[in-house]
Amino acid sequence: MITAREDFGDLISNYLARVKAGLKGIDDGQQQEILAEIRSHLTDRIEQLKQQGSGSPTEDALTAMGDPEELSLQFISAAVVRAARSNFPWVLLRAASRLVFTGLRGTLVFLAGLFGYLTAIAFVGVAVAKLIVPARVGFWVGPHTLVWGYPAHTPGIHEVAGHSFAYISIILAFLFASGTTLLLKQLLRSPRAGKKALPRGSGLSLIGVGLG
Amino acid sequence: MLLMMGRVYDGRWEAQLRKGCLDLAILAALWDKRLYGLEILKYLQEKAGLEIVEGTLYPILMRLKQEALLESTWVSEAAHPRKYYWLTKAGRQRTLEMTETWEEFGQGISRLLASVKEKHR
């Protein structure tokens, strides 16, 4: 409940600070633009509500604006959606890194991407290593041992892939890279935010609009 | 339980349906004019009865701009700066495509609904 004594400017500042806190991962210039636009909207909205006779225009304007944390998530989602169209791993991974600040799901998305691409790089690495030191690199199998690459000790284990090792490694690298790319594109495209896009029971009759 | 599940499902469906039309509604609002955020909200409400959580508009505008469908500029003519949006050439083309898709989809669903309505008379 807000009393007349409370500073409405502080309410707006507090709201903007909460939005800003959720915008980590978005560059500073874009953050400032987002906050400036929200401030501009609130200024207009408060004036409008005053004219409509609202007893608590600032509070009403902030309520209409929506939860600041949810709003931040929607901006983050909007910021990464363009990247989701890219097929370049570094673009996707950079976009995913923005999600780290949004919570556990975002962190897991980024870590999944990082793991996938690093694994692909590792497969390429061992394929190249196979060409350089063919006798030491391969698919080594032994009692309680299974090594894809360069084993620390070779006694008691033997290599089973032979010359196919490099080819298989390259294929696995491709599968990991493309699989990770598809996964990231899908995860970045699926909106994390936006659950509160429309108030329940709003006046829109979509069937009427679309089919009427 | 089934009733509960049904209610949950219906709510999601309605939300998805409404959410799905927001992009088109915003693009349509900007078809022949430059508007700032609050004007877009007012237009959507007056023309289509579409009320959204106000903050939701801005991430969508940001995304549409990133997709090169919108352009924007800050204008300082009023008491404070306002960010105006308008359609780019690609935005106009996309709006036409979406409108066509919407109408085709709507007509198809209308035919289905007509059959449902007929059976319940």
Side-chain angles (χ1 to χ4, degrees):
Chain A
M1 191 68 185
I2 295 175
T3 67
R5 286 184 176 182
E6 288 183 75
D7 186 344
F8 292 150
D10 282 352
L11 281 178
I12 294 174
S13 297
N14 180 50
Y15 184 92
L16 292 174
R18 289 171 65 187
V19 174
K20 189 174 190 297
L23 294 178
K24 289 172 184 170
I26 293 182
D27 64 72
D28 286 346
Q30 205 165 16
Q31 280 189 30
Q32 293 307 317
E33 179 129 1
I34 288 168
L35 296 176
E37 189 167 27
I38 295 173
R39 183 181 286 279
S40 173
H41 175 98
L42 290 172
T43 304
D44 279 331
R45 195 72 172 95
I46 289 167
E47 190 57 39
Q48 190 184 62
L49 286 164
K50 279 180 184 171
Q51 289 171 5
Q52 291 170 357
S54 169
S56 51
T58 305
E59 187 184 37
D60 291 347
L62 293 175
T63 302
M65 200 65 180
D67 178 71
E69 283 75 25
E70 180 71 22
L71 183 55
S72 300
L73 284 174
Q74 291 177 27
F75 276 114
I76 296 282
S77 295
V80 301
V81 76
R82 189 181 184 190
R85 294 183 169 190
S86 173
N87 289 318
F88 294 109
W90 55 90
V91 175
L92 293 167
L93 208 52
R94 186 169 179 272
S97 71
R98 291 176 169 179
L99 297 179
V100 168
F101 301 101
T102 66
L104 179 63
R105 182 187 182 276
T107 304
L108 290 175
V109 170
F110 173 70
L111 289 177
L114 193 62
F115 173 79
Y117 287 132
L118 286 179
T119 305
I121 290 169
F123 276 121
V124 172
V126 293
V128 173
K130 179 70 176 175
L131 301 176
I132 299 170
V133 278
R136 294 286 295 161
V137 176
F139 182 32
W140 300 88
V141 179
H144 314 295
T145 306
L146 208 60
V147 177
W148 189 276
Y150 190 94
H153 305 286
T154 53
I157 62 174
H158 59 283
E159 206 279 324
V160 296
H163 294 299
S164 305
F165 178 84
Y167 297 112
I168 297 171
S169 293
I170 291 296
I171 290 170
L172 288 173
F174 173 77
L175 289 176
F176 264 89
S178 54
T180 303
T181 298
L182 290 174
L183 180 70
L184 280 184
K185 284 168 75 74
Q186 184 60 39
L187 292 174
L188 292 175
R189 202 180 290 133
S190 61
R192 161 64 183 83
K195 292 177 185 172
K196 299 178 185 173
L198 290 149
R200 291 179 74 90
S202 73
L204 174 68
S205 168
L206 275 179
I207 300 300
V209 171
L211 313 177
Chain B
M1 184 63 185
L2 280 174
L3 185 60
M4 249 179 75
M5 287 175 69
R7 280 180 183 167
V8 170
Y9 181 79
D10 284 348
R12 286 179 183 174
W13 179 78
E14 288 177 1
Q16 288 298 318
L17 188 58
R18 288 170 180 168
K19 201 172 150 191
C21 79
L22 271 180
D23 284 16
L24 176 57
I26 292 167
L27 292 172
L30 294 168
W31 179 252
D32 55 4
K33 56 182 88 64
R34 295 184 177 205
L35 300 173
Y36 60 93
L38 196 57
E39 286 182 326
I40 296 172
L41 289 169
K42 190 179 172 190
Y43 189 83
L44 294 179
Q45 189 179 2
E46 288 178 355
K47 285 280 183 181
L50 180 50
E51 293 180 20
I52 64 175
V53 175
E54 293 175 11
T56 300
L57 174 71
Y58 294 99
I60 297 174
L61 289 171
M62 179 177 150
R63 177 169 50 78
L64 293 174
K65 191 181 169 189
Q66 286 188 335
E67 291 173 356
L69 301 178
L70 297 182
E71 193 49 84
S72 69
T73 189
W74 285 93
V75 175
S76 303
E77 289 173 357
H80 62 92
R82 289 169 176 151
K83 193 175 179 183
Y84 280 79
Y85 293 88
W86 66 93
L87 291 180
T88 61
K89 191 177 176 184
R92 294 185 77 79
Q93 181 62 35
R94 183 71 185 130
T95 307
L96 288 171
E97 291 167 0
M98 289 173 78
T99 301
E100 194 175 331
T101 303
W102 178 268
E103 286 179 347
E104 285 175 8
F105 178 78
Q107 286 165 7
I109 295 295
S110 286
R111 285 193 291 275
L112 284 174
L113 295 180
S115 168
V116 171
K117 284 178 185 173
E118 190 65 31
K119 287 172 185 171
H120 277 76
R121 277 179 188 165

mmCIF file of all heavy atoms in Angstrom, chain B residues 25-52:
data_model
loop_
_atom_site.group_PDB
_atom_site.id
_atom_site.type_symbol
_atom_site.label_atom_id
_atom_site.label_comp_id
_atom_site.label_asym_id
_atom_site.label_seq_id
_atom_site.Cartn_x
_atom_site.Cartn_y
_atom_site.Cartn_z
ATOM 1 N N ALA B 25 -0.452 -8.110 -34.906
ATOM 2 C CA ALA B 25 -1.239 -6.969 -34.422
ATOM 3 C C ALA B 25 -0.368 -5.710 -34.343
ATOM 4 O O ALA B 25 -0.795 -4.623 -34.754
ATOM 5 C CB ALA B 25 -1.827 -7.302 -33.053
ATOM 6 N N ILE B 26 0.847 -5.874 -33.853
ATOM 7 C CA ILE B 26 1.759 -4.722 -33.725
ATOM 8 C C ILE B 26 2.174 -4.202 -35.102
ATOM 9 O O ILE B 26 2.168 -3.002 -35.364
ATOM 10 C CB ILE B 26 2.988 -5.098 -32.873
ATOM 11 C CG1 ILE B 26 2.560 -5.331 -31.420
ATOM 12 C CG2 ILE B 26 4.061 -4.026 -32.951
ATOM 13 C CD1 ILE B 26 3.613 -6.005 -30.566
ATOM 14 N N LEU B 27 2.510 -5.134 -35.979
ATOM 15 C CA LEU B 27 2.887 -4.720 -37.348
ATOM 16 C C LEU B 27 1.718 -4.015 -38.030
ATOM 17 O O LEU B 27 1.906 -3.005 -38.716
ATOM 18 C CB LEU B 27 3.325 -5.946 -38.157
ATOM 19 C CG LEU B 27 4.637 -6.611 -37.724
ATOM 20 C CD1 LEU B 27 4.849 -7.924 -38.470
ATOM 21 C CD2 LEU B 27 5.823 -5.689 -37.932
ATOM 22 N N ALA B 28 0.516 -4.539 -37.821
ATOM 23 C CA ALA B 28 -0.665 -3.936 -38.443
ATOM 24 C C ALA B 28 -0.919 -2.539 -37.877
ATOM 25 O O ALA B 28 -1.322 -1.622 -38.615
ATOM 26 C CB ALA B 28 -1.880 -4.834 -38.221
ATOM 27 N N ALA B 29 -0.673 -2.372 -36.582
ATOM 28 C CA ALA B 29 -0.874 -1.059 -35.961
ATOM 29 C C ALA B 29 0.057 -0.008 -36.576
ATOM 30 O O ALA B 29 -0.269 1.172 -36.639
ATOM 31 C CB ALA B 29 -0.634 -1.157 -34.456
ATOM 32 N N LEU B 30 1.213 -0.471 -37.032
ATOM 33 C CA LEU B 30 2.207 0.457 -37.588
ATOM 34 C C LEU B 30 2.137 0.534 -39.115
ATOM 35 O O LEU B 30 3.026 1.103 -39.739
ATOM 36 C CB LEU B 30 3.615 0.007 -37.156
ATOM 37 C CG LEU B 30 3.904 0.085 -35.653
ATOM 38 C CD1 LEU B 30 5.192 -0.644 -35.303
ATOM 39 C CD2 LEU B 30 3.972 1.539 -35.196
ATOM 40 N N TRP B 31 1.091 -0.032 -39.677
ATOM 41 C CA TRP B 31 1.005 -0.137 -41.149
ATOM 42 C C TRP B 31 1.117 1.207 -41.844
ATOM 43 O O TRP B 31 1.838 1.353 -42.823
ATOM 44 C CB TRP B 31 -0.302 -0.839 -41.532
ATOM 45 C CG TRP B 31 -0.467 -0.967 -43.016
ATOM 46 C CD1 TRP B 31 -1.334 -0.282 -43.811
ATOM 47 C CD2 TRP B 31 0.281 -1.824 -43.885
ATOM 48 N NE1 TRP B 31 -1.192 -0.653 -45.117
ATOM 49 C CE2 TRP B 31 -0.197 -1.597 -45.192
ATOM 50 C CE3 TRP B 31 1.308 -2.752 -43.690
ATOM 51 C CZ2 TRP B 31 0.309 -2.281 -46.293
ATOM 52 C CZ3 TRP B 31 1.825 -3.426 -44.799
ATOM 53 C CH2 TRP B 31 1.319 -3.182 -46.082
ATOM 54 N N ASP B 32 0.389 2.200 -41.342
ATOM 55 C CA ASP B 32 0.392 3.483 -42.054
ATOM 56 C C ASP B 32 0.718 4.670 -41.146
ATOM 57 O O ASP B 32 0.346 5.800 -41.432
ATOM 58 C CB ASP B 32 -0.956 3.707 -42.751
ATOM 59 C CG ASP B 32 -2.112 3.603 -41.766
ATOM 60 O OD1 ASP B 32 -1.851 3.438 -40.566
ATOM 61 O OD2 ASP B 32 -3.267 3.687 -42.211
ATOM 62 N N LYS B 33 1.379 4.369 -40.047
ATOM 63 C CA LYS B 33 1.733 5.491 -39.164
ATOM 64 C C LYS B 33 2.933 5.159 -38.281
ATOM 65 O O LYS B 33 3.251 3.984 -38.102
ATOM 66 C CB LYS B 33 0.541 5.886 -38.300
ATOM 67 C CG LYS B 33 -0.034 4.743 -37.479
ATOM 68 C CD LYS B 33 -1.255 5.188 -36.685
ATOM 69 C CE LYS B 33 -2.541 5.058 -37.444
ATOM 70 N NZ LYS B 33 -2.928 3.702 -37.811
ATOM 71 N N ARG B 34 3.529 6.201 -37.772
ATOM 72 C CA ARG B 34 4.605 6.042 -36.788
ATOM 73 C C ARG B 34 4.000 6.225 -35.402
ATOM 74 O O ARG B 34 3.301 7.214 -35.161
ATOM 75 C CB ARG B 34 5.692 7.097 -36.999
ATOM 76 C CG ARG B 34 6.412 6.968 -38.312
ATOM 77 C CD ARG B 34 7.533 7.992 -38.413
ATOM 78 N NE ARG B 34 8.275 7.800 -39.671
ATOM 79 C CZ ARG B 34 9.531 8.164 -39.855
ATOM 80 N NH1 ARG B 34 10.194 8.752 -38.884
ATOM 81 N NH2 ARG B 34 10.134 7.954 -41.004
ATOM 82 N N LEU B 35 4.260 5.295 -34.528
ATOM 83 C CA LEU B 35 3.689 5.354 -33.183
ATOM 84 C C LEU B 35 4.753 5.048 -32.148
ATOM 85 O O LEU B 35 5.714 4.322 -32.424
ATOM 86 C CB LEU B 35 2.559 4.328 -33.036
ATOM 87 C CG LEU B 35 1.343 4.450 -33.960
ATOM 88 C CD1 LEU B 35 0.433 3.243 -33.780
ATOM 89 C CD2 LEU B 35 0.582 5.737 -33.699
ATOM 90 N N TYR B 36 4.569 5.595 -30.941
ATOM 91 C CA TYR B 36 5.428 5.164 -29.830
ATOM 92 C C TYR B 36 4.666 4.140 -29.000
ATOM 93 O O TYR B 36 3.462 3.910 -29.219
ATOM 94 C CB TYR B 36 5.919 6.355 -29.000
ATOM 95 C CG TYR B 36 4.865 7.207 -28.363
ATOM 96 C CD1 TYR B 36 4.433 6.951 -27.062
ATOM 97 C CD2 TYR B 36 4.321 8.294 -29.029
ATOM 98 C CE1 TYR B 36 3.469 7.742 -26.457
ATOM 99 C CE2 TYR B 36 3.357 9.083 -28.438
ATOM 100 C CZ TYR B 36 2.929 8.808 -27.145
ATOM 101 O OH TYR B 36 1.968 9.586 -26.554
ATOM 102 N N GLY B 37 5.356 3.526 -28.045
ATOM 103 C CA GLY B 37 4.808 2.364 -27.348
ATOM 104 C C GLY B 37 3.400 2.514 -26.817
ATOM 105 O O GLY B 37 2.522 1.701 -27.102
ATOM 106 N N LEU B 38 3.172 3.587 -26.066
ATOM 107 C CA LEU B 38 1.850 3.760 -25.450
ATOM 108 C C LEU B 38 0.764 3.946 -26.508
ATOM 109 O O LEU B 38 -0.368 3.489 -26.335
ATOM 110 C CB LEU B 38 1.882 4.964 -24.491
ATOM 111 C CG LEU B 38 0.733 5.056 -23.493
ATOM 112 C CD1 LEU B 38 0.635 3.795 -22.646
ATOM 113 C CD2 LEU B 38 0.912 6.272 -22.588
ATOM 114 N N GLU B 39 1.124 4.608 -27.607
ATOM 115 C CA GLU B 39 0.157 4.777 -28.705
ATOM 116 C C GLU B 39 -0.177 3.432 -29.341
ATOM 117 O O GLU B 39 -1.325 3.189 -29.724
ATOM 118 C CB GLU B 39 0.736 5.726 -29.763
ATOM 119 C CG GLU B 39 0.736 7.179 -29.351
ATOM 120 C CD GLU B 39 1.272 8.076 -30.458
ATOM 121 O OE1 GLU B 39 2.177 7.634 -31.208
ATOM 122 O OE2 GLU B 39 0.797 9.220 -30.568
ATOM 123 N N ILE B 40 0.824 2.574 -29.464
ATOM 124 C CA ILE B 40 0.572 1.244 -30.032
ATOM 125 C C ILE B 40 -0.392 0.468 -29.129
ATOM 126 O O ILE B 40 -1.357 -0.139 -29.600
ATOM 127 C CB ILE B 40 1.891 0.462 -30.205
ATOM 128 C CG1 ILE B 40 2.790 1.149 -31.222
ATOM 129 C CG2 ILE B 40 1.611 -0.984 -30.634
ATOM 130 C CD1 ILE B 40 4.194 0.563 -31.318
ATOM 131 N N LEU B 41 -0.138 0.518 -27.828
ATOM 132 C CA LEU B 41 -1.019 -0.181 -26.875
ATOM 133 C C LEU B 41 -2.453 0.333 -26.974
ATOM 134 O O LEU B 41 -3.415 -0.445 -26.989
ATOM 135 C CB LEU B 41 -0.496 0.012 -25.444
ATOM 136 C CG LEU B 41 0.783 -0.728 -25.093
ATOM 137 C CD1 LEU B 41 1.339 -0.244 -23.759
ATOM 138 C CD2 LEU B 41 0.547 -2.234 -25.036
ATOM 139 N N LYS B 42 -2.570 1.650 -27.024
ATOM 140 C CA LYS B 42 -3.897 2.271 -27.104
ATOM 141 C C LYS B 42 -4.601 1.846 -28.395
ATOM 142 O O LYS B 42 -5.793 1.525 -28.403
ATOM 143 C CB LYS B 42 -3.731 3.800 -27.067
ATOM 144 C CG LYS B 42 -5.025 4.563 -26.904
ATOM 145 C CD LYS B 42 -4.734 6.068 -26.861
ATOM 146 C CE LYS B 42 -6.052 6.839 -26.907
ATOM 147 N NZ LYS B 42 -5.833 8.282 -27.106
ATOM 148 N N TYR B 43 -3.842 1.835 -29.472
ATOM 149 C CA TYR B 43 -4.405 1.464 -30.776
ATOM 150 C C TYR B 43 -4.897 0.009 -30.763
ATOM 151 O O TYR B 43 -5.985 -0.301 -31.247
ATOM 152 C CB TYR B 43 -3.336 1.662 -31.853
ATOM 153 C CG TYR B 43 -3.848 1.511 -33.262
ATOM 154 C CD1 TYR B 43 -4.466 2.566 -33.917
ATOM 155 C CD2 TYR B 43 -3.696 0.304 -33.951
ATOM 156 C CE1 TYR B 43 -4.935 2.433 -35.212
ATOM 157 C CE2 TYR B 43 -4.152 0.157 -35.243
ATOM 158 C CZ TYR B 43 -4.766 1.219 -35.874
ATOM 159 O OH TYR B 43 -5.231 1.067 -37.155
ATOM 160 N N LEU B 44 -4.074 -0.866 -30.205
ATOM 161 C CA LEU B 44 -4.447 -2.283 -30.148
ATOM 162 C C LEU B 44 -5.699 -2.484 -29.298
ATOM 163 O O LEU B 44 -6.566 -3.295 -29.624
ATOM 164 C CB LEU B 44 -3.302 -3.117 -29.573
ATOM 165 C CG LEU B 44 -2.018 -3.205 -30.396
ATOM 166 C CD1 LEU B 44 -0.976 -4.047 -29.673
ATOM 167 C CD2 LEU B 44 -2.294 -3.784 -31.778
ATOM 168 N N GLN B 45 -5.775 -1.730 -28.232
ATOM 169 C CA GLN B 45 -6.934 -1.861 -27.342
ATOM 170 C C GLN B 45 -8.191 -1.335 -28.024
ATOM 171 O O GLN B 45 -9.245 -1.967 -27.971
ATOM 172 C CB GLN B 45 -6.666 -1.095 -26.046
ATOM 173 C CG GLN B 45 -7.725 -1.354 -24.988
ATOM 174 C CD GLN B 45 -7.433 -0.614 -23.694
ATOM 175 O OE1 GLN B 45 -6.450 0.127 -23.604
ATOM 176 N NE2 GLN B 45 -8.270 -0.822 -22.701
ATOM 177 N N GLU B 46 -8.068 -0.190 -28.657
ATOM 178 C CA GLU B 46 -9.251 0.419 -29.269
ATOM 179 C C GLU B 46 -9.715 -0.336 -30.504
ATOM 180 O O GLU B 46 -10.906 -0.505 -30.735
ATOM 181 C CB GLU B 46 -8.940 1.878 -29.638
ATOM 182 C CG GLU B 46 -8.843 2.786 -28.416
ATOM 183 C CD GLU B 46 -8.487 4.223 -28.770
ATOM 184 O OE1 GLU B 46 -8.216 4.504 -29.967
ATOM 185 O OE2 GLU B 46 -8.450 5.049 -27.855
ATOM 186 N N LYS B 47 -8.770 -0.789 -31.304
ATOM 187 C CA LYS B 47 -9.137 -1.422 -32.574
ATOM 188 C C LYS B 47 -9.503 -2.896 -32.424
ATOM 189 O O LYS B 47 -10.344 -3.415 -33.157
ATOM 190 C CB LYS B 47 -7.972 -1.304 -33.569
ATOM 191 C CG LYS B 47 -7.812 0.070 -34.159
ATOM 192 C CD LYS B 47 -8.805 0.271 -35.286
ATOM 193 C CE LYS B 47 -8.610 1.633 -35.947
ATOM 194 N NZ LYS B 47 -9.580 1.857 -37.023
ATOM 195 N N ALA B 48 -8.787 -3.590 -31.502
ATOM 196 C CA ALA B 48 -8.969 -5.049 -31.435
ATOM 197 C C ALA B 48 -9.347 -5.543 -30.044
ATOM 198 O O ALA B 48 -9.491 -6.742 -29.835
ATOM 199 C CB ALA B 48 -7.688 -5.742 -31.896
ATOM 200 N N GLY B 49 -9.521 -4.620 -29.104
ATOM 201 C CA GLY B 49 -9.821 -5.039 -27.736
ATOM 202 C C GLY B 49 -8.686 -5.845 -27.134
ATOM 203 O O GLY B 49 -8.878 -6.624 -26.212
ATOM 204 N N LEU B 50 -7.495 -5.643 -27.675
ATOM 205 C CA LEU B 50 -6.332 -6.424 -27.247
ATOM 206 C C LEU B 50 -5.608 -5.719 -26.108
ATOM 207 O O LEU B 50 -4.955 -4.696 -26.308
ATOM 208 C CB LEU B 50 -5.397 -6.611 -28.442
ATOM 209 C CG LEU B 50 -4.117 -7.411 -28.224
ATOM 210 C CD1 LEU B 50 -4.397 -8.736 -27.553
ATOM 211 C CD2 LEU B 50 -3.411 -7.632 -29.545
ATOM 212 N N GLU B 51 -5.744 -6.263 -24.920
ATOM 213 C CA GLU B 51 -5.070 -5.691 -23.754
ATOM 214 C C GLU B 51 -3.911 -6.601 -23.373
ATOM 215 O O GLU B 51 -4.112 -7.782 -23.121
ATOM 216 C CB GLU B 51 -6.031 -5.552 -22.595
ATOM 217 C CG GLU B 51 -7.130 -4.526 -22.839
ATOM 218 C CD GLU B 51 -8.077 -4.412 -21.660
ATOM 219 O OE1 GLU B 51 -7.682 -4.823 -20.557
ATOM 220 O OE2 GLU B 51 -9.193 -3.937 -21.868
ATOM 221 N N ILE B 52 -2.731 -6.043 -23.326
ATOM 222 C CA ILE B 52 -1.569 -6.856 -22.947
ATOM 223 C C ILE B 52 -0.898 -6.217 -21.744
ATOM 224 O O ILE B 52 -1.085 -5.033 -21.474
ATOM 225 C CB ILE B 52 -0.558 -6.986 -24.111
ATOM 226 C CG1 ILE B 52 0.026 -5.632 -24.486
ATOM 227 C CG2 ILE B 52 -1.214 -7.634 -25.305
ATOM 228 C CD1 ILE B 52 1.119 -5.721 -25.531
#
